[in-house]
Amino acid sequence: GFKSRLQSMTTTVKVKAPVLGGNFGVWGFTFATCDCSLIYFRNKEDHWNSILAGAITGGLLSMRSGPQTALTSAIIGGVLLALIEGLSIGITRMTAAQFKPVMP
């Protein structure tokens, strides 16, 4: 019934949560390392660092599955980070308009 399903879901979440958390930690560490390295080597901090770091991270983390999978994951990582950066830029521009000084 419903109660056994709920218990099964709870058990599954308890078992998989540490694995998911570990995977997220590895991704975050790799992304931050790539992002900071790009800032250092390019000597500038812009949206391209995050996009490239997303692509590099995607490629690095899937490298064991072969070059085709690594390339696909790199493209997906770059596109996802480009979408996130684009959304961030759009929101910043939209909210900045409300703080422009108005002529009396």
Coordinates of all heavy atoms in Angstrom, one line a residue:
G1 N 0.8 -1.2 0.0 CA 0.0 0.0 0.0 C 0.9 1.3 0.0 O 2.1 1.3 -0.3
F2 N 0.2 2.3 0.3 CA 0.8 3.6 0.3 C 1.9 3.7 1.4 O 3.0 4.3 1.1 CB -0.2 4.7 0.5 CG 0.4 6.1 0.6 CD1 0.8 6.7 -0.6 CD2 0.5 6.8 1.7 CE1 1.3 8.0 -0.6 CE2 1.1 8.1 1.8 CZ 1.5 8.7 0.6
K3 N 1.7 3.2 2.5 CA 2.7 3.2 3.6 C 4.0 2.5 3.2 O 5.1 3.1 3.5 CB 2.1 2.7 4.9 CG 3.0 2.9 6.1 CD 2.3 2.4 7.4 CE 3.2 2.6 8.6 NZ 2.6 2.2 9.8
S4 N 3.9 1.3 2.6 CA 5.1 0.6 2.3 C 5.9 1.4 1.1 O 7.1 1.4 1.1 CB 4.8 -0.8 1.9 OG 4.1 -0.9 0.6
R5 N 5.1 2.0 0.2 CA 5.7 2.8 -0.8 C 6.5 4.0 -0.2 O 7.6 4.3 -0.7 CB 4.6 3.3 -1.7 CG 4.8 3.0 -3.2 CD 3.8 3.6 -4.0 NE 3.8 3.0 -5.3 CZ 3.0 3.3 -6.2 NH1 2.0 4.1 -6.0 NH2 3.1 2.7 -7.4
L6 N 5.9 4.6 0.7 CA 6.5 5.8 1.4 C 7.8 5.3 2.1 O 8.8 6.0 2.0 CB 5.5 6.4 2.3 CG 5.9 7.8 2.9 CD1 6.1 8.8 1.8 CD2 4.9 8.2 3.9
Q7 N 7.7 4.2 2.8 CA 8.9 3.7 3.5 C 10.0 3.3 2.5 O 11.2 3.6 2.7 CB 8.5 2.5 4.3 CG 7.8 2.8 5.6 CD 7.3 1.5 6.3 OE1 7.2 0.5 5.7 NE2 7.0 1.7 7.6
S8 N 9.6 2.8 1.4 CA 10.6 2.4 0.3 C 11.3 3.7 -0.3 O 12.5 3.7 -0.5 CB 9.9 1.6 -0.8 OG 10.8 1.4 -1.8
M9 N 10.4 4.7 -0.5 CA 11.0 6.0 -1.0 C 12.0 6.6 0.0 O 13.0 7.0 -0.4 CB 9.9 7.0 -1.3 CG 9.2 6.7 -2.6 SD 8.0 8.0 -3.1 CE 7.2 8.5 -1.7
T10 N 11.6 6.6 1.3 CA 12.4 7.1 2.3 C 13.8 6.4 2.4 O 14.8 7.0 2.5 CB 11.7 7.1 3.7 OG1 10.5 7.7 3.5 CG2 12.5 7.7 4.8
T11 N 13.7 5.1 2.3 CA 14.9 4.2 2.4 C 15.8 4.5 1.2 O 17.0 4.7 1.3 CB 14.6 2.7 2.4 OG1 13.7 2.5 3.5 CG2 15.8 1.9 2.5
T12 N 15.2 4.7 0.0 CA 16.0 5.0 -1.2 C 16.7 6.3 -1.1 O 17.8 6.5 -1.5 CB 15.1 4.9 -2.5 OG1 14.4 3.7 -2.5 CG2 15.8 5.2 -3.7
V13 N 16.0 7.3 -0.6 CA 16.5 8.6 -0.4 C 17.7 8.6 0.5 O 18.8 9.2 0.3 CB 15.5 9.7 0.0 CG1 16.1 11.0 0.5 CG2 14.5 9.9 -1.1
K14 N 17.5 7.9 1.6 CA 18.6 7.8 2.7 C 19.8 7.1 2.1 O 21.0 7.5 2.4 CB 18.1 7.0 3.9 CG 17.2 7.7 4.8 CD 16.7 6.9 5.9 CE 15.8 7.6 6.8 NZ 15.3 6.7 7.9
V15 N 19.6 6.1 1.2 CA 20.8 5.4 0.6 C 21.5 6.2 -0.4 O 22.7 6.3 -0.5 CB 20.3 4.0 0.0 CG1 21.4 3.4 -0.8 CG2 19.9 3.1 1.1
K16 N 20.7 6.9 -1.2 CA 21.3 7.7 -2.4 C 21.8 9.1 -2.0 O 22.6 9.6 -2.8 CB 20.3 7.7 -3.5 CG 20.1 6.3 -4.1 CD 19.3 6.4 -5.4 CE 19.1 5.0 -6.0 NZ 18.7 5.0 -7.4
A17 N 21.3 9.6 -1.0 CA 21.7 11.0 -0.6 C 23.2 11.2 -0.5 O 23.7 12.2 -1.0 CB 20.9 11.5 0.6
P18 N 23.9 10.4 0.3 CA 25.4 10.6 0.4 C 26.1 10.5 -1.0 O 27.0 11.3 -1.2 CB 25.8 9.5 1.3 CG 24.6 9.0 2.0 CD 23.5 9.3 1.1
V19 N 25.6 9.6 -1.8 CA 26.3 9.5 -3.2 C 26.0 10.8 -4.0 O 26.9 11.3 -4.6 CB 25.7 8.3 -3.9 CG1 26.3 8.2 -5.3 CG2 26.1 7.0 -3.1
L20 N 24.8 11.2 -4.0 CA 24.4 12.5 -4.7 C 25.2 13.7 -4.1 O 25.7 14.5 -4.9 CB 22.9 12.7 -4.6 CG 22.4 13.9 -5.4 CD1 22.7 13.7 -6.9 CD2 20.9 14.0 -5.2
G21 N 25.3 13.7 -2.8 CA 26.0 14.8 -2.2 C 27.5 14.8 -2.5 O 28.1 15.8 -2.8
G22 N 28.1 13.6 -2.6 CA 29.5 13.5 -2.9 C 29.7 13.8 -4.4 O 30.7 14.5 -4.7
N23 N 28.8 13.4 -5.3 CA 28.9 13.8 -6.7 C 28.8 15.3 -6.9 O 29.6 15.9 -7.6 CB 27.9 13.1 -7.5 CG 28.1 11.7 -7.7 OD1 29.2 11.2 -7.4 ND2 27.0 10.9 -8.0
F24 N 27.9 15.9 -6.1 CA 27.8 17.4 -6.2 C 29.0 18.1 -5.7 O 29.5 19.1 -6.2 CB 26.5 17.9 -5.4 CG 26.3 19.3 -5.6 CD1 25.8 19.9 -6.7 CD2 26.6 20.2 -4.5 CE1 25.6 21.2 -6.9 CE2 26.4 21.5 -4.6 CZ 25.8 22.1 -5.8
G25 N 29.6 17.6 -4.6 CA 30.8 18.1 -4.1 C 32.0 18.0 -5.0 O 32.8 19.0 -5.2
V26 N 32.1 16.9 -5.7 CA 33.2 16.7 -6.7 C 33.0 17.7 -7.8 O 33.9 18.3 -8.3 CB 33.2 15.3 -7.2 CG1 34.1 15.1 -8.4 CG2 33.7 14.3 -6.1
W27 N 31.7 17.8 -8.3 CA 31.4 18.7 -9.4 C 31.8 20.2 -9.0 O 32.4 20.9 -9.7 CB 30.0 18.6 -9.8 CG 29.7 19.4 -11.1 CD1 29.7 19.0 -12.3 CD2 29.3 20.8 -11.1 NE1 29.4 20.0 -13.2 CE2 29.2 21.2 -12.5 CE3 29.1 21.8 -10.1 CZ2 28.8 22.5 -12.9 CZ3 28.8 23.1 -10.6 CH2 28.7 23.4 -11.9
G28 N 31.3 20.6 -7.8 CA 31.6 21.9 -7.3 C 33.0 22.2 -7.2 O 33.5 23.3 -7.5
F29 N 33.8 21.3 -6.6 CA 35.2 21.5 -6.5 C 35.9 21.6 -7.8 O 36.8 22.5 -8.0 CB 35.8 20.3 -5.7 CG 37.3 20.4 -5.6 CD1 37.9 21.3 -4.7 CD2 38.1 19.6 -6.4 CE1 39.3 21.4 -4.6 CE2 39.5 19.7 -6.3 CZ 40.1 20.5 -5.4
T30 N 35.6 20.7 -8.8 CA 36.2 20.8 -10.1 C 35.8 22.1 -10.8 O 36.7 22.8 -11.4 CB 35.7 19.6 -10.9 OG1 36.0 18.4 -10.2 CG2 36.4 19.5 -12.3
F31 N 34.5 22.5 -10.7 CA 34.1 23.7 -11.4 C 34.8 24.9 -10.8 O 35.3 25.8 -11.5 CB 32.6 23.9 -11.2 CG 32.1 25.2 -11.8 CD1 31.9 25.4 -13.1 CD2 31.8 26.3 -11.0 CE1 31.5 26.6 -13.7 CE2 31.4 27.5 -11.5 CZ 31.2 27.6 -12.8
A32 N 34.9 25.0 -9.4 CA 35.6 26.1 -8.8 C 37.0 26.2 -9.1 O 37.6 27.3 -9.4 CB 35.4 26.0 -7.3
T33 N 37.7 25.0 -9.2 CA 39.1 25.0 -9.5 C 39.3 25.5 -11.0 O 40.2 26.3 -11.2 CB 39.6 23.6 -9.4 OG1 39.5 23.1 -8.1 CG2 41.1 23.5 -9.8
C34 N 38.5 25.0 -11.9 CA 38.6 25.5 -13.3 C 38.3 27.0 -13.4 O 39.0 27.7 -14.1 CB 37.6 24.7 -14.2 SG 38.1 23.0 -14.4
D35 N 37.2 27.4 -12.7 CA 36.9 28.9 -12.8 C 38.0 29.8 -12.2 O 38.4 30.7 -12.9 CB 35.6 29.1 -12.0 CG 34.9 30.4 -12.3 OD1 35.0 30.9 -13.4 OD2 34.3 31.0 -11.3
C36 N 38.5 29.4 -11.1 CA 39.6 30.2 -10.5 C 40.9 30.2 -11.4 O 41.6 31.2 -11.5 CB 39.9 29.8 -9.1 SG 38.6 30.1 -7.9
S37 N 41.2 29.0 -11.9 CA 42.3 28.9 -12.8 C 42.2 29.7 -14.1 O 43.1 30.4 -14.5 CB 42.5 27.4 -13.2 OG 42.8 26.6 -12.1
L38 N 41.0 29.8 -14.6 CA 40.7 30.6 -15.8 C 40.8 32.1 -15.5 O 41.4 32.9 -16.3 CB 39.4 30.3 -16.4 CG 39.3 29.0 -17.2 CD1 37.8 28.6 -17.4 CD2 40.0 29.1 -18.5
I39 N 40.4 32.5 -14.3 CA 40.5 33.9 -13.9 C 42.0 34.2 -13.7 O 42.4 35.3 -14.2 CB 39.8 34.1 -12.5 CG1 38.3 34.0 -12.7 CG2 40.1 35.5 -11.9 CD1 37.5 33.9 -11.4
Y40 N 42.8 33.3 -13.2 CA 44.2 33.6 -13.0 C 44.9 33.6 -14.4 O 45.7 34.6 -14.6 CB 44.8 32.5 -12.2 CG 46.3 32.6 -12.0 CD1 46.8 33.5 -11.1 CD2 47.2 31.8 -12.7 CE1 48.2 33.6 -10.9 CE2 48.5 31.9 -12.6 CZ 49.1 32.8 -11.7 OH 50.4 33.0 -11.6
F41 N 44.7 32.7 -15.2 CA 45.4 32.6 -16.5 C 44.9 33.7 -17.5 O 45.7 34.2 -18.3 CB 45.3 31.2 -17.2 CG 46.1 30.2 -16.4 CD1 45.5 29.1 -15.9 CD2 47.5 30.3 -16.3 CE1 46.3 28.1 -15.2 CE2 48.3 29.4 -15.6 CZ 47.6 28.3 -15.0
R42 N 43.6 34.0 -17.5 CA 43.1 35.0 -18.4 C 43.3 36.4 -17.9 O 43.2 37.4 -18.6 CB 41.7 34.8 -18.7 CG 41.4 33.5 -19.5 CD 39.9 33.3 -19.8 NE 39.5 34.3 -20.8 CZ 38.5 35.1 -20.6 NH1 37.7 35.0 -19.5 NH2 38.1 36.0 -21.5
N43 N 43.5 36.5 -16.6 CA 43.7 37.8 -15.9 C 42.5 38.7 -16.0 O 42.6 39.9 -16.1 CB 45.0 38.5 -16.4 CG 45.5 39.5 -15.3 OD1 45.2 39.4 -14.2 ND2 46.3 40.4 -15.8
K44 N 41.3 38.1 -16.1 CA 40.1 38.9 -16.1 C 39.0 38.0 -15.6 O 39.0 36.8 -15.7 CB 39.7 39.4 -17.5 CG 39.5 38.4 -18.6 CD 39.0 38.9 -19.9 CE 40.0 39.7 -20.6 NZ 39.5 40.0 -22.0
E45 N 38.0 38.7 -15.0 CA 36.8 37.9 -14.4 C 35.6 38.4 -15.2 O 35.1 39.5 -15.0 CB 36.7 38.3 -13.0 CG 35.8 37.4 -12.3 CD 35.9 37.4 -10.7 OE1 36.9 38.0 -10.2 OE2 35.0 36.9 -10.1
D46 N 35.1 37.5 -16.1 CA 33.9 37.7 -16.8 C 33.1 36.5 -17.0 O 33.4 35.4 -16.4 CB 34.2 38.3 -18.2 CG 35.1 37.5 -19.0 OD1 35.4 36.3 -18.6 OD2 35.6 37.9 -20.1
H47 N 32.0 36.6 -17.7 CA 31.1 35.4 -17.8 C 31.7 34.3 -18.6 O 31.3 33.1 -18.4 CB 29.8 35.8 -18.5 CG 29.9 36.5 -19.8 ND1 30.2 37.8 -20.0 CD2 29.9 35.9 -21.0 CE1 30.3 38.1 -21.3 NE2 30.1 36.9 -21.9
W48 N 32.7 34.5 -19.4 CA 33.3 33.4 -20.2 C 34.1 32.4 -19.3 O 34.2 31.3 -19.7 CB 34.3 34.0 -21.2 CG 33.6 34.7 -22.4 CD1 33.5 36.0 -22.6 CD2 32.8 34.1 -23.4 NE1 32.7 36.3 -23.7 CE2 32.2 35.1 -24.2 CE3 32.4 32.7 -23.6 CZ2 31.4 34.8 -25.2 CZ3 31.6 32.5 -24.7 CH2 31.1 33.5 -25.5
N49 N 34.6 32.9 -18.2 CA 35.3 32.0 -17.3 C 34.3 30.9 -16.8 O 34.6 29.7 -16.8 CB 35.8 32.7 -16.1 CG 37.0 33.6 -16.4 OD1 37.7 33.4 -17.4 ND2 37.2 34.7 -15.7
S50 N 33.1 31.3 -16.4 CA 32.1 30.3 -15.9 C 31.7 29.4 -17.0 O 31.5 28.2 -16.8 CB 30.9 31.0 -15.3 OG 31.2 31.8 -14.2
I51 N 31.5 29.9 -18.2 CA 31.0 29.1 -19.3 C 32.1 28.0 -19.7 O 31.8 26.9 -19.8 CB 30.7 29.9 -20.5 CG1 29.4 30.8 -20.2 CG2 30.4 29.1 -21.8 CD1 29.2 31.9 -21.2
L52 N 33.3 28.5 -19.8 CA 34.4 27.6 -20.1 C 34.7 26.6 -18.9 O 35.0 25.4 -19.2 CB 35.7 28.4 -20.4 CG 35.7 29.2 -21.7 CD1 37.0 30.1 -21.7 CD2 35.7 28.2 -22.8
A53 N 34.5 27.1 -17.7 CA 34.7 26.2 -16.5 C 33.6 25.1 -16.6 O 33.9 23.9 -16.2 CB 34.7 26.9 -15.2
G54 N 32.4 25.4 -16.9 CA 31.4 24.4 -17.0 C 31.7 23.4 -18.1 O 31.5 22.2 -17.9
A55 N 32.2 23.9 -19.2 CA 32.5 22.9 -20.3 C 33.7 22.0 -19.9 O 33.7 20.8 -20.1 CB 32.9 23.7 -21.6
I56 N 34.7 22.6 -19.3 CA 35.9 21.8 -18.9 C 35.5 20.8 -17.8 O 35.9 19.6 -17.8 CB 37.0 22.8 -18.4 CG1 37.6 23.6 -19.5 CG2 38.1 22.0 -17.7 CD1 38.5 24.7 -19.1
T57 N 34.7 21.2 -16.8 CA 34.2 20.4 -15.8 C 33.4 19.2 -16.3 O 33.6 18.0 -16.0 CB 33.3 21.1 -14.8 OG1 34.1 22.2 -14.2 CG2 32.8 20.2 -13.7
G58 N 32.5 19.5 -17.3 CA 31.7 18.4 -17.9 C 32.6 17.4 -18.6 O 32.4 16.2 -18.5
G59 N 33.6 17.9 -19.3 CA 34.5 17.0 -20.0 C 35.4 16.2 -19.1 O 35.5 15.0 -19.3
L60 N 35.9 16.9 -18.1 CA 36.8 16.2 -17.1 C 36.1 15.1 -16.4 O 36.6 14.0 -16.2 CB 37.4 17.2 -16.1 CG 38.6 18.0 -16.6 CD1 38.9 19.0 -15.5 CD2 39.7 17.2 -17.0
L61 N 34.9 15.3 -15.9 CA 34.2 14.4 -15.1 C 33.7 13.2 -15.8 O 33.4 12.1 -15.2 CB 33.1 15.1 -14.3 CG 33.5 16.1 -13.2 CD1 32.3 16.7 -12.5 CD2 34.5 15.4 -12.2
S62 N 33.6 13.3 -17.2 CA 33.1 12.2 -17.9 C 34.2 11.6 -18.8 O 33.9 10.8 -19.7 CB 31.9 12.6 -18.8 OG 32.3 13.6 -19.7
M63 N 35.4 11.9 -18.6 CA 36.5 11.5 -19.4 C 36.7 10.0 -19.4 O 37.1 9.4 -20.4 CB 37.8 12.2 -18.9 CG 38.9 12.1 -19.9 SD 40.4 13.0 -19.3 CE 39.9 14.7 -19.7
R64 N 36.4 9.3 -18.3 CA 36.6 7.9 -18.2 C 35.6 7.1 -19.1 O 35.9 5.9 -19.4 CB 36.4 7.4 -16.7 CG 37.4 7.9 -15.8 CD 37.3 7.4 -14.4 NE 35.9 7.1 -13.9 CZ 35.6 6.6 -12.8 NH1 36.6 6.4 -11.9 NH2 34.4 6.4 -12.4
S65 N 34.6 7.8 -19.5 CA 33.6 7.1 -20.4 C 34.0 7.2 -21.9 O 33.3 6.7 -22.7 CB 32.2 7.7 -20.3 OG 31.8 7.5 -18.9
G66 N 35.1 7.8 -22.2 CA 35.6 7.9 -23.6 C 35.5 9.3 -24.1 O 34.9 10.2 -23.6
P67 N 36.2 9.5 -25.2 CA 36.3 10.9 -25.8 C 35.0 11.4 -26.3 O 34.7 12.6 -26.2 CB 37.4 10.8 -26.9 CG 37.5 9.3 -27.2 CD 37.1 8.6 -26.0
Q68 N 34.2 10.6 -26.9 CA 32.9 11.1 -27.4 C 32.0 11.5 -26.3 O 31.4 12.6 -26.4 CB 32.2 10.0 -28.3 CG 30.9 10.4 -28.9 CD 31.2 11.5 -29.9 OE1 32.1 11.5 -30.7 NE2 30.3 12.5 -29.9
T69 N 31.9 10.7 -25.2 CA 31.1 11.1 -24.1 C 31.7 12.4 -23.4 O 30.9 13.2 -23.0 CB 31.1 10.0 -23.1 OG1 30.6 8.8 -23.7 CG2 30.1 10.3 -21.9
A70 N 33.0 12.5 -23.3 CA 33.6 13.7 -22.7 C 33.3 14.9 -23.5 O 32.9 16.0 -23.0 CB 35.1 13.5 -22.6
L71 N 33.3 14.8 -24.8 CA 33.0 15.9 -25.7 C 31.6 16.3 -25.6 O 31.2 17.5 -25.4 CB 33.3 15.6 -27.2 CG 33.0 16.7 -28.2 CD1 33.9 18.0 -27.9 CD2 33.3 16.2 -29.6
T72 N 30.7 15.4 -25.5 CA 29.3 15.6 -25.4 C 29.0 16.3 -24.0 O 28.2 17.3 -24.0 CB 28.4 14.3 -25.5 OG1 28.7 13.7 -26.8 CG2 26.9 14.6 -25.4
S73 N 29.6 15.8 -23.0 CA 29.4 16.4 -21.7 C 30.0 17.8 -21.6 O 29.4 18.6 -20.9 CB 30.0 15.5 -20.6 OG 29.3 14.2 -20.5
A74 N 31.1 18.0 -22.2 CA 31.7 19.3 -22.2 C 30.8 20.3 -22.9 O 30.6 21.4 -22.4 CB 33.1 19.3 -22.9
I75 N 30.2 19.9 -24.0 CA 29.3 20.8 -24.7 C 28.0 21.1 -23.9 O 27.6 22.3 -23.8 CB 28.9 20.2 -26.1 CG1 30.1 20.2 -27.0 CG2 27.7 20.9 -26.7 CD1 29.9 19.4 -28.3
I76 N 27.5 20.0 -23.3 CA 26.3 20.2 -22.4 C 26.7 21.1 -21.2 O 25.9 22.1 -20.9 CB 25.8 18.9 -21.9 CG1 25.2 18.1 -23.1 CG2 24.7 19.1 -20.8 CD1 24.8 16.7 -22.8
G77 N 27.8 20.9 -20.6 CA 28.2 21.8 -19.5 C 28.4 23.2 -19.9 O 28.0 24.1 -19.2
G78 N 29.0 23.5 -21.0 CA 29.2 24.8 -21.5 C 27.9 25.5 -21.8 O 27.6 26.7 -21.5
V79 N 27.0 24.8 -22.5 CA 25.6 25.3 -22.8 C 24.8 25.6 -21.6 O 24.2 26.7 -21.5 CB 24.9 24.4 -23.8 CG1 23.4 24.8 -23.9 CG2 25.5 24.3 -25.1
L80 N 24.8 24.7 -20.6 CA 24.1 25.0 -19.4 C 24.6 26.2 -18.6 O 23.8 27.0 -18.2 CB 24.2 23.7 -18.4 CG 23.3 22.6 -18.8 CD1 23.5 21.4 -17.9 CD2 21.8 23.0 -18.8
L81 N 25.9 26.3 -18.5 CA 26.5 27.5 -17.9 C 26.3 28.8 -18.7 O 26.1 29.8 -18.1 CB 28.0 27.3 -17.6 CG 28.3 26.8 -16.2 CD1 27.9 27.7 -15.1 CD2 27.7 25.4 -15.9
A82 N 26.2 28.7 -20.0 CA 25.9 29.8 -20.8 C 24.5 30.3 -20.6 O 24.2 31.5 -20.5 CB 26.1 29.5 -22.3
L83 N 23.6 29.3 -20.4 CA 22.2 29.6 -20.1 C 22.0 30.3 -18.8 O 21.3 31.3 -18.6 CB 21.3 28.4 -20.2 CG 21.0 27.8 -21.5 CD1 20.4 26.4 -21.4 CD2 20.2 28.7 -22.4
I84 N 22.8 29.8 -17.8 CA 22.7 30.3 -16.4 C 23.3 31.7 -16.4 O 22.7 32.7 -15.9 CB 23.5 29.4 -15.4 CG1 22.7 28.1 -15.2 CG2 23.7 30.1 -14.1 CD1 23.5 27.0 -14.5
E85 N 24.4 31.9 -17.1 CA 25.1 33.3 -17.2 C 24.2 34.2 -17.9 O 24.0 35.4 -17.5 CB 26.4 33.2 -17.9 CG 27.5 32.5 -17.0 CD 27.8 33.4 -15.8 OE1 27.9 34.6 -15.9 OE2 28.0 32.8 -14.7
G86 N 23.5 33.8 -19.0 CA 22.6 34.7 -19.8 C 21.4 35.1 -19.0 O 21.0 36.3 -19.0
L87 N 20.9 34.1 -18.2 CA 19.8 34.5 -17.3 C 20.2 35.4 -16.3 O 19.4 36.4 -15.9 CB 19.2 33.2 -16.7 CG 17.9 33.2 -15.9 CD1 16.8 33.7 -16.8 CD2 17.6 31.9 -15.3
S88 N 21.4 35.2 -15.7 CA 21.9 36.1 -14.7 C 22.1 37.6 -15.2 O 21.7 38.5 -14.6 CB 23.2 35.6 -14.1 OG 23.8 36.5 -13.2
I89 N 22.6 37.7 -16.4 CA 22.8 39.0 -17.0 C 21.5 39.6 -17.3 O 21.3 40.8 -17.0 CB 23.6 38.8 -18.3 CG1 25.1 38.5 -18.0 CG2 23.6 40.1 -19.1 CD1 25.9 38.0 -19.2
G90 N 20.5 38.9 -17.8 CA 19.2 39.4 -18.1 C 18.5 39.9 -16.8 O 17.9 41.0 -16.8
I91 N 18.6 39.1 -15.8 CA 17.9 39.6 -14.5 C 18.6 40.8 -14.0 O 18.0 41.7 -13.5 CB 18.0 38.4 -13.5 CG1 17.0 37.3 -13.9 CG2 17.6 38.9 -12.1 CD1 17.1 36.0 -13.1
T92 N 19.9 40.9 -14.0 CA 20.7 42.0 -13.6 C 20.3 43.3 -14.3 O 20.1 44.3 -13.8 CB 22.2 41.8 -13.7 OG1 22.6 40.7 -12.9 CG2 23.0 43.0 -13.2
R93 N 20.1 43.2 -15.7 CA 19.7 44.3 -16.5 C 18.3 44.8 -16.2 O 18.0 46.0 -16.2 CB 19.9 44.0 -18.0 CG 21.3 44.0 -18.4 CD 21.5 43.8 -19.9 NE 22.9 43.8 -20.2 CZ 23.4 43.4 -21.4 NH1 22.5 43.1 -22.3 NH2 24.7 43.5 -21.6
M94 N 17.4 43.8 -16.0 CA 16.0 44.1 -15.7 C 15.9 44.8 -14.3 O 15.2 45.8 -14.2 CB 15.2 42.9 -15.7 CG 14.8 42.4 -17.1 SD 13.8 40.9 -17.2 CE 13.2 40.7 -15.6
T95 N 16.6 44.3 -13.3 CA 16.5 44.9 -12.0 C 17.3 46.2 -11.9 O 17.0 47.1 -11.1 CB 17.0 44.0 -10.9 OG1 18.3 43.6 -11.2 CG2 16.1 42.7 -10.9
A96 N 18.3 46.4 -12.7 CA 19.1 47.7 -12.7 C 18.3 48.8 -13.2 O 18.5 50.0 -12.7 CB 20.4 47.5 -13.5
A97 N 17.3 48.6 -14.1 CA 16.5 49.7 -14.6 C 15.7 50.4 -13.5 O 15.5 51.6 -13.6 CB 15.6 49.2 -15.7
Q98 N 15.3 49.7 -12.5 CA 14.5 50.3 -11.4 C 15.3 51.2 -10.5 O 14.7 51.9 -9.7 CB 13.7 49.2 -10.7 CG 14.6 48.2 -9.9 CD 13.8 47.2 -9.2 OE1 12.8 47.5 -8.5 NE2 14.1 45.9 -9.4
F99 N 16.6 51.1 -10.6 CA 17.4 51.9 -9.7 C 18.1 53.1 -10.4 O 18.9 53.8 -9.9 CB 18.5 51.1 -9.1 CG 18.0 50.0 -8.2 CD1 18.1 48.7 -8.5 CD2 17.4 50.4 -7.0 CE1 17.6 47.7 -7.6 CE2 16.9 49.4 -6.1 CZ 17.0 48.1 -6.4
K100 N 17.7 53.3 -11.7 CA 18.2 54.5 -12.4 C 17.6 55.8 -11.9 O 16.4 55.8 -11.5 CB 17.9 54.4 -13.9 CG 18.7 53.4 -14.7 CD 18.3 53.4 -16.2 CE 19.2 52.4 -16.9 NZ 18.8 52.4 -18.3
P101 N 18.4 56.8 -11.8 CA 17.9 58.1 -11.3 C 16.8 58.7 -12.3 O 17.0 58.6 -13.5 CB 19.1 59.0 -11.2 CG 20.2 58.3 -11.7 CD 19.8 56.9 -12.1
V102 N 15.8 59.2 -11.7 CA 14.7 59.8 -12.5 C 14.8 61.3 -12.4 O 15.0 61.9 -11.3 CB 13.3 59.3 -12.0 CG1 12.2 59.9 -12.8 CG2 13.3 57.8 -12.0
M103 N 14.7 61.9 -13.6 CA 14.8 63.4 -13.6 C 13.5 64.0 -13.0 O 12.4 63.5 -13.3 CB 14.9 63.9 -15.0 CG 16.2 63.6 -15.7 SD 17.6 64.3 -14.9 CE 17.5 66.0 -15.5
P104 N 13.6 65.0 -12.1 CA 12.4 65.5 -11.4 C 11.6 66.4 -12.3 O 12.0 66.9 -13.3 CB 12.9 66.3 -10.2 CG 14.4 66.4 -10.4 CD 14.8 65.5 -11.5

